[in-house]
Structure formats: C-alpha cells, structure tokens
Amino acid sequence: MRYSTEHKQQTRDKLLASSGALAKRGGFASTGVAGLMKAIGLTGGAFYTHFPSKDDLFTEVVRRELCNSPLAQGTVDRKRLKRLLDQYLSMAHLHNPEGGCPLPPLGVEIARAERPVREEAEHWLVHLHDAWSLTLGDTQQAWALISQCVGALVVGRMLASEPLQAQVLQASRNQVHKAFDETE
C-alpha cells in the first residue's frame, strides 16, 4: 500500500517532534531507531523512508528545535529580550527539558555529532548572536549572555537540590540584569 505525499510528510513531522522531545529528555545517541519509531507507533524499518540515517534525523531535529525557540525570533527590543531571558532562567524551564531550549540537554551531543549537525547549530547560534548583538549593541556581551543562560540551565539540571537550582538561576538572572544595565 502506497501512502500519499501528505501522509508521509505528517509521519515525518511526527517523527521529528517525537525525536526532539525524546532527545531532550534522555539523549539522542542513547535512543535507537527502533525506539524513535516505536514512539510514533511505527516499526524501525519505516524509518529509512523518511531519513537516510540517524545522523540526518539528528540534523533535522537540531534545525527544528533551534528554529522553534522563542529566542530565535530575530531582533527584539531590550525589554522583551530581558523578559524572555527571565523566563529562560526559570524553574519551570529547568524542570521541562523536553519542552524547552535544546542547547542545555543536547549541547554535548551536538558537540560530538558529525559536522552537518554542528554546522546547523552554528548557523542558529550565529543568527541568535547577531540578533542579540543588535539589541544589546555589544557583540561580546551577546556571546557572554548566550553562554551564561545555557550554562546556568546545564548546572541547574546537574544539581539534585531545588534550593541550589533556584540559587543558580537567580544568580544568572542577576548577571543578565547587570549586563543589560551595563549596555544601556
């Protein structure tokens, strides 16, 4: 039985969405093709009608996840960016890796991935950096804030104690606010 082009695209989209959530929750490398396909109710053999390899799927997952981030919406005014970063550095975001930014949970896997995956992440990060640089008027501050925010979530998720997690996030929000004050 042949499926329509629309059905194939819907299945591909479901696979991308499910793979993104699974990767952010438990790691992409640790989930096999059979597990990725099972999550959307299909067999592992059907995978290769959508992607030539698991690396190709990971490249698409990275593209999709990074492009859909609220922080990737281009240049925003200072007030909105500050508000977005406060939301980013929140306990709600810390406790929701599958629904949040892909960089904290997938950064190490992206760094170890094949070049196309890293190039996709680089493309998005440069786009984000350029937008924040325009907003802040400072290219170095933009890189520092990107690193600060991603690092704060990584460290916060490493900790077992919620009070310590909250301290890390608050300290990072304070640094973000200080950076905004310095670039005004």
Side-chain angles (χ1 to χ4, degrees):
M1 177 170 140
R2 295 189 56 87
Y3 291 104
S4 69
T5 304
E6 183 179 319
H7 181 269
K8 287 180 186 175
Q9 186 60 47
Q10 289 171 347
T11 301
R12 188 178 202 279
D13 291 343
K14 280 180 18 183
L15 177 58
L16 280 167
S18 175
S19 296
L22 285 170
K24 289 190 292 184
R25 184 179 30 235
F28 188 80
S30 64
T31 307
V33 167
L36 294 169
M37 295 304 284
K38 183 179 179 184
I40 62 167
L42 296 174
T43 64
F47 174 85
Y48 296 100
T49 63
H50 301 284
F51 293 96
S53 71
K54 191 176 171 193
D55 284 341
D56 290 315
L57 171 62
F58 192 39
T59 301
E60 286 299 313
V61 164
V62 168
R63 176 180 297 122
R64 179 185 176 115
E65 291 293 327
L66 293 174
C67 288
N68 289 332
S69 168
L71 298 175
Q73 303 309 313
T75 306
V76 295
D77 64 54
R78 293 174 67 83
K79 189 175 179 180
R80 181 160 162 33
L81 179 58
K82 192 174 182 181
R83 200 171 50 250
L84 284 170
L85 294 179
D86 280 341
Q87 291 170 356
Y88 189 95
L89 294 168
S90 70
M91 291 298 282
H93 187 209
L94 184 124
H95 291 303
N96 184 22
E98 59 271 1
C101 177
L103 293 175
L106 296 179
V108 170
E109 286 189 80
I110 291 170
R112 292 180 184 148
E114 296 297 319
R115 187 173 183 89
V117 174
R118 294 191 330 272
E119 287 173 344
E120 188 61 42
E122 179 181 307
H123 169 78
W124 181 83
L125 282 167
V126 167
H127 171 75
L128 180 66
H129 170 264
D130 291 347
W132 288 17
S133 293
L134 285 173
T135 300
L136 297 168
D138 186 332
T139 60
Q140 289 186 3
Q141 192 67 271
W143 280 128
L145 284 178
I146 291 168
S147 301
Q148 171 75 33
C149 292
V150 172
L153 279 180
V154 171
V155 171
R157 288 177 181 160
M158 289 169 53
L159 301 171
S161 161
E162 244 187 56
L164 281 176
Q165 291 173 329
Q167 284 179 25
V168 166
L169 294 178
Q170 184 59 55
S172 294
R173 280 192 306 276
N174 291 344
Q175 289 300 310
V176 166
H177 292 186
K178 184 177 176 182
F180 271 79
D181 293 343
E182 290 172 357
T183 59
E184 282 188 325

PDB file of all heavy atoms in Angstrom, residues 144-163:
ATOM      1  N   ALA A 144      28.454  36.284  25.627  1.00  0.00           N
ATOM      2  CA  ALA A 144      28.520  36.013  27.070  1.00  0.00           C
ATOM      3  C   ALA A 144      27.143  35.642  27.622  1.00  0.00           C
ATOM      4  O   ALA A 144      27.025  34.703  28.428  1.00  0.00           O
ATOM      5  CB  ALA A 144      29.100  37.219  27.805  1.00  0.00           C
ATOM      6  N   LEU A 145      26.104  36.335  27.184  1.00  0.00           N
ATOM      7  CA  LEU A 145      24.760  36.038  27.684  1.00  0.00           C
ATOM      8  C   LEU A 145      24.236  34.695  27.171  1.00  0.00           C
ATOM      9  O   LEU A 145      23.588  33.966  27.922  1.00  0.00           O
ATOM     10  CB  LEU A 145      23.788  37.159  27.312  1.00  0.00           C
ATOM     11  CG  LEU A 145      23.912  38.431  28.141  1.00  0.00           C
ATOM     12  CD1 LEU A 145      22.927  39.486  27.650  1.00  0.00           C
ATOM     13  CD2 LEU A 145      23.717  38.158  29.610  1.00  0.00           C
ATOM     14  N   ILE A 146      24.513  34.388  25.927  1.00  0.00           N
ATOM     15  CA  ILE A 146      24.108  33.071  25.406  1.00  0.00           C
ATOM     16  C   ILE A 146      24.765  31.974  26.251  1.00  0.00           C
ATOM     17  O   ILE A 146      24.099  31.043  26.715  1.00  0.00           O
ATOM     18  CB  ILE A 146      24.483  32.918  23.910  1.00  0.00           C
ATOM     19  CG1 ILE A 146      23.632  33.844  23.045  1.00  0.00           C
ATOM     20  CG2 ILE A 146      24.329  31.462  23.455  1.00  0.00           C
ATOM     21  CD1 ILE A 146      24.117  33.992  21.604  1.00  0.00           C
ATOM     22  N   SER A 147      26.062  32.108  26.471  1.00  0.00           N
ATOM     23  CA  SER A 147      26.799  31.110  27.253  1.00  0.00           C
ATOM     24  C   SER A 147      26.309  31.061  28.691  1.00  0.00           C
ATOM     25  O   SER A 147      26.162  29.973  29.280  1.00  0.00           O
ATOM     26  CB  SER A 147      28.291  31.424  27.223  1.00  0.00           C
ATOM     27  OG  SER A 147      28.756  31.430  25.896  1.00  0.00           O
ATOM     28  N   GLN A 148      26.060  32.219  29.276  1.00  0.00           N
ATOM     29  CA  GLN A 148      25.574  32.308  30.660  1.00  0.00           C
ATOM     30  C   GLN A 148      24.251  31.565  30.815  1.00  0.00           C
ATOM     31  O   GLN A 148      24.069  30.785  31.747  1.00  0.00           O
ATOM     32  CB  GLN A 148      25.400  33.777  31.057  1.00  0.00           C
ATOM     33  CG  GLN A 148      24.705  34.004  32.383  1.00  0.00           C
ATOM     34  CD  GLN A 148      25.587  33.708  33.567  1.00  0.00           C
ATOM     35  OE1 GLN A 148      26.780  33.917  33.493  1.00  0.00           O
ATOM     36  NE2 GLN A 148      25.007  33.222  34.628  1.00  0.00           N
ATOM     37  N   CYS A 149      23.334  31.828  29.925  1.00  0.00           N
ATOM     38  CA  CYS A 149      21.998  31.248  30.042  1.00  0.00           C
ATOM     39  C   CYS A 149      22.008  29.728  29.837  1.00  0.00           C
ATOM     40  O   CYS A 149      21.413  28.985  30.622  1.00  0.00           O
ATOM     41  CB  CYS A 149      21.049  31.921  29.058  1.00  0.00           C
ATOM     42  SG  CYS A 149      20.723  33.648  29.479  1.00  0.00           S
ATOM     43  N   VAL A 150      22.680  29.282  28.794  1.00  0.00           N
ATOM     44  CA  VAL A 150      22.746  27.837  28.534  1.00  0.00           C
ATOM     45  C   VAL A 150      23.479  27.148  29.687  1.00  0.00           C
ATOM     46  O   VAL A 150      23.018  26.127  30.213  1.00  0.00           O
ATOM     47  CB  VAL A 150      23.434  27.544  27.186  1.00  0.00           C
ATOM     48  CG1 VAL A 150      23.685  26.052  27.010  1.00  0.00           C
ATOM     49  CG2 VAL A 150      22.586  28.082  26.033  1.00  0.00           C
ATOM     50  N   GLY A 151      24.598  27.717  30.114  1.00  0.00           N
ATOM     51  CA  GLY A 151      25.371  27.130  31.206  1.00  0.00           C
ATOM     52  C   GLY A 151      24.599  27.067  32.508  1.00  0.00           C
ATOM     53  O   GLY A 151      24.706  26.087  33.258  1.00  0.00           O
ATOM     54  N   ALA A 152      23.809  28.082  32.795  1.00  0.00           N
ATOM     55  CA  ALA A 152      23.022  28.088  34.030  1.00  0.00           C
ATOM     56  C   ALA A 152      22.026  26.932  34.053  1.00  0.00           C
ATOM     57  O   ALA A 152      21.847  26.282  35.089  1.00  0.00           O
ATOM     58  CB  ALA A 152      22.290  29.419  34.183  1.00  0.00           C
ATOM     59  N   LEU A 153      21.401  26.650  32.919  1.00  0.00           N
ATOM     60  CA  LEU A 153      20.464  25.525  32.882  1.00  0.00           C
ATOM     61  C   LEU A 153      21.185  24.197  33.010  1.00  0.00           C
ATOM     62  O   LEU A 153      20.711  23.287  33.691  1.00  0.00           O
ATOM     63  CB  LEU A 153      19.629  25.554  31.598  1.00  0.00           C
ATOM     64  CG  LEU A 153      18.449  26.511  31.613  1.00  0.00           C
ATOM     65  CD1 LEU A 153      17.694  26.450  30.298  1.00  0.00           C
ATOM     66  CD2 LEU A 153      17.508  26.224  32.755  1.00  0.00           C
ATOM     67  N   VAL A 154      22.350  24.080  32.376  1.00  0.00           N
ATOM     68  CA  VAL A 154      23.123  22.843  32.499  1.00  0.00           C
ATOM     69  C   VAL A 154      23.503  22.605  33.961  1.00  0.00           C
ATOM     70  O   VAL A 154      23.270  21.527  34.513  1.00  0.00           O
ATOM     71  CB  VAL A 154      24.391  22.869  31.604  1.00  0.00           C
ATOM     72  CG1 VAL A 154      25.299  21.693  31.911  1.00  0.00           C
ATOM     73  CG2 VAL A 154      23.998  22.864  30.129  1.00  0.00           C
ATOM     74  N   VAL A 155      24.066  23.615  34.610  1.00  0.00           N
ATOM     75  CA  VAL A 155      24.478  23.474  36.010  1.00  0.00           C
ATOM     76  C   VAL A 155      23.254  23.228  36.893  1.00  0.00           C
ATOM     77  O   VAL A 155      23.268  22.343  37.755  1.00  0.00           O
ATOM     78  CB  VAL A 155      25.274  24.709  36.484  1.00  0.00           C
ATOM     79  CG1 VAL A 155      25.505  24.675  37.988  1.00  0.00           C
ATOM     80  CG2 VAL A 155      26.608  24.780  35.745  1.00  0.00           C
ATOM     81  N   GLY A 156      22.187  23.986  36.674  1.00  0.00           N
ATOM     82  CA  GLY A 156      20.980  23.795  37.471  1.00  0.00           C
ATOM     83  C   GLY A 156      20.429  22.384  37.367  1.00  0.00           C
ATOM     84  O   GLY A 156      20.018  21.794  38.367  1.00  0.00           O
ATOM     85  N   ARG A 157      20.448  21.817  36.161  1.00  0.00           N
ATOM     86  CA  ARG A 157      19.930  20.451  35.976  1.00  0.00           C
ATOM     87  C   ARG A 157      20.862  19.392  36.544  1.00  0.00           C
ATOM     88  O   ARG A 157      20.435  18.278  36.823  1.00  0.00           O
ATOM     89  CB  ARG A 157      19.658  20.191  34.493  1.00  0.00           C
ATOM     90  CG  ARG A 157      18.440  20.960  34.005  1.00  0.00           C
ATOM     91  CD  ARG A 157      18.192  20.769  32.538  1.00  0.00           C
ATOM     92  NE  ARG A 157      17.022  21.543  32.133  1.00  0.00           N
ATOM     93  CZ  ARG A 157      16.760  21.905  30.897  1.00  0.00           C
ATOM     94  NH1 ARG A 157      17.573  21.541  29.916  1.00  0.00           N
ATOM     95  NH2 ARG A 157      15.685  22.615  30.617  1.00  0.00           N
ATOM     96  N   MET A 158      22.118  19.758  36.744  1.00  0.00           N
ATOM     97  CA  MET A 158      23.066  18.822  37.355  1.00  0.00           C
ATOM     98  C   MET A 158      22.821  18.677  38.857  1.00  0.00           C
ATOM     99  O   MET A 158      23.192  17.664  39.447  1.00  0.00           O
ATOM    100  CB  MET A 158      24.509  19.305  37.133  1.00  0.00           C
ATOM    101  CG  MET A 158      24.981  19.191  35.706  1.00  0.00           C
ATOM    102  SD  MET A 158      26.543  20.059  35.405  1.00  0.00           S
ATOM    103  CE  MET A 158      27.619  19.407  36.654  1.00  0.00           C
ATOM    104  N   LEU A 159      22.237  19.677  39.464  1.00  0.00           N
ATOM    105  CA  LEU A 159      22.044  19.699  40.913  1.00  0.00           C
ATOM    106  C   LEU A 159      20.796  18.919  41.315  1.00  0.00           C
ATOM    107  O   LEU A 159      19.794  18.939  40.615  1.00  0.00           O
ATOM    108  CB  LEU A 159      21.936  21.142  41.402  1.00  0.00           C
ATOM    109  CG  LEU A 159      23.153  22.020  41.101  1.00  0.00           C
ATOM    110  CD1 LEU A 159      22.854  23.477  41.431  1.00  0.00           C
ATOM    111  CD2 LEU A 159      24.370  21.516  41.858  1.00  0.00           C
ATOM    112  N   ALA A 160      20.864  18.283  42.475  1.00  0.00           N
ATOM    113  CA  ALA A 160      19.739  17.494  42.975  1.00  0.00           C
ATOM    114  C   ALA A 160      18.797  18.320  43.845  1.00  0.00           C
ATOM    115  O   ALA A 160      17.622  17.994  43.970  1.00  0.00           O
ATOM    116  CB  ALA A 160      20.254  16.297  43.773  1.00  0.00           C
ATOM    117  N   SER A 161      19.307  19.377  44.426  1.00  0.00           N
ATOM    118  CA  SER A 161      18.550  20.175  45.384  1.00  0.00           C
ATOM    119  C   SER A 161      17.883  21.369  44.707  1.00  0.00           C
ATOM    120  O   SER A 161      18.553  22.190  44.077  1.00  0.00           O
ATOM    121  CB  SER A 161      19.515  20.664  46.475  1.00  0.00           C
ATOM    122  OG  SER A 161      18.980  21.743  47.168  1.00  0.00           O
ATOM    123  N   GLU A 162      16.549  21.463  44.873  1.00  0.00           N
ATOM    124  CA  GLU A 162      15.833  22.587  44.276  1.00  0.00           C
ATOM    125  C   GLU A 162      16.280  23.943  44.806  1.00  0.00           C
ATOM    126  O   GLU A 162      16.390  24.887  44.029  1.00  0.00           O
ATOM    127  CB  GLU A 162      14.317  22.410  44.431  1.00  0.00           C
ATOM    128  CG  GLU A 162      13.683  22.268  43.085  1.00  0.00           C
ATOM    129  CD  GLU A 162      12.178  22.263  43.110  1.00  0.00           C
ATOM    130  OE1 GLU A 162      11.565  23.215  43.629  1.00  0.00           O
ATOM    131  OE2 GLU A 162      11.628  21.300  42.565  1.00  0.00           O
ATOM    132  N   PRO A 163      16.562  24.073  46.105  1.00  0.00           N
ATOM    133  CA  PRO A 163      17.054  25.380  46.568  1.00  0.00           C
ATOM    134  C   PRO A 163      18.370  25.793  45.891  1.00  0.00           C
ATOM    135  O   PRO A 163      18.542  26.969  45.549  1.00  0.00           O
ATOM    136  CB  PRO A 163      17.241  25.185  48.077  1.00  0.00           C
ATOM    137  CG  PRO A 163      16.273  24.105  48.434  1.00  0.00           C
ATOM    138  CD  PRO A 163      16.274  23.187  47.236  1.00  0.00           C
TER     139      PRO A 163
END
